[in-house]
């Protein structure tokens, strides 16, 4: 979590970096299975970058299938299992896993998220061309 700090060393919300609440952040690792696409490379490097700059929060990776160990940095916990259909897993099972893991916010890196996750979500859309220019 990043805070804007004022001249007194405290952010606009009154917390300093050392007193900021620790968050448990969920990360969508479904793009880190088998062969990676461009989104998979983005996701892998995003996770590595987050861990490199943020030692204040906890991160948990969620996926409907095994994530290759060489695709997530050491220190990330993987939660998931084996479920063949990502969309069904994400809508029916992931909200339960998020609650059980105590996730405060979850980042979905590949344009889909559960409709009712029970926690705030950040969803990344990498390419809107098909929606903005459907005739292309």
């Amino acid at each position: 979590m990043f805070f804007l700090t004022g001249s007194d060393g405290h952010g606009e919300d009154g917390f300093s970096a050392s007193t900021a609440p620790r968050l448990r952040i969920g990360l969508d690792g479904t793009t880190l299975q088998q062969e990676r696409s461009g989104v998979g490379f983005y996701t892998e490097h995003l996770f590595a970058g987050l861990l490199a700059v943020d030692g204040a929060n906890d991160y948990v990776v969620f996926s409907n299938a095994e994530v290759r160990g060489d695709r997530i940095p050491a220190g990330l916990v993987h939660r998931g299992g084996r479920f063949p259909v990502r969309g069904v897993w994400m809508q029916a099972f992931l909200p339960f896993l998020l609650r059980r893991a105590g996730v405060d916010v979850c980042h979905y890196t590949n344009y889909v998220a559960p409709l009712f996750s029970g926690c705030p979500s950040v969803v990344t859309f990498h390419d809107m061309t098909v929606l903005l220019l459907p005739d292309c």
Side-chain angles (χ1 to χ4, degrees):
M1 178 176 231
F2 298 98
F3 294 99
L4 298 174
T5 55
S7 59
D8 64 353
H10 288 83
E12 292 177 358
D13 52 14
F15 291 108
S16 70
S18 62
T19 62
R22 187 175 189 91
L23 293 176
R24 175 156 283 201
I25 301 170
L27 301 169
D28 173 11
T30 57
T31 60
L32 299 176
Q33 308 164 14
Q34 305 302 324
E35 297 300 318
R36 281 172 295 183
S37 63
V39 176
F41 283 100
Y42 159 81
T43 302
E44 180 179 340
H45 292 284
L46 172 70
F47 293 1
L50 283 171
L51 285 181
V53 300
D54 182 15
N57 296 300
D58 296 322
Y59 292 89
V60 182
V61 176
F62 294 91
S63 179
N64 65 307
E66 284 300 315
V67 173
R68 287 183 35 181
D70 61 335
R71 298 213 173 132
I72 59 174
L76 277 181
V77 176
H78 173 253
R79 301 266 172 91
R82 297 183 193 266
F83 196 86
V85 183
R86 179 181 79 151
V88 174
W89 171 83
M90 189 169 278
Q91 299 304 321
F93 298 103
L94 182 56
F96 169 75
L97 294 172
L98 293 170
R99 281 191 299 278
R100 190 170 74 183
V103 169
D104 296 301
V105 63
C106 193
H107 181 193
Y108 301 93
T109 58
N110 200 19
Y111 73 86
V112 285
L115 293 173
F116 305 104
S117 69
C119 71
S121 301
V122 175
V123 182
T124 299
F125 289 82
H126 295 276
D127 187 354
M128 298 292 289
T129 304
V130 73
L131 296 174
L132 298 174
L133 304 168
D135 295 331
C136 287

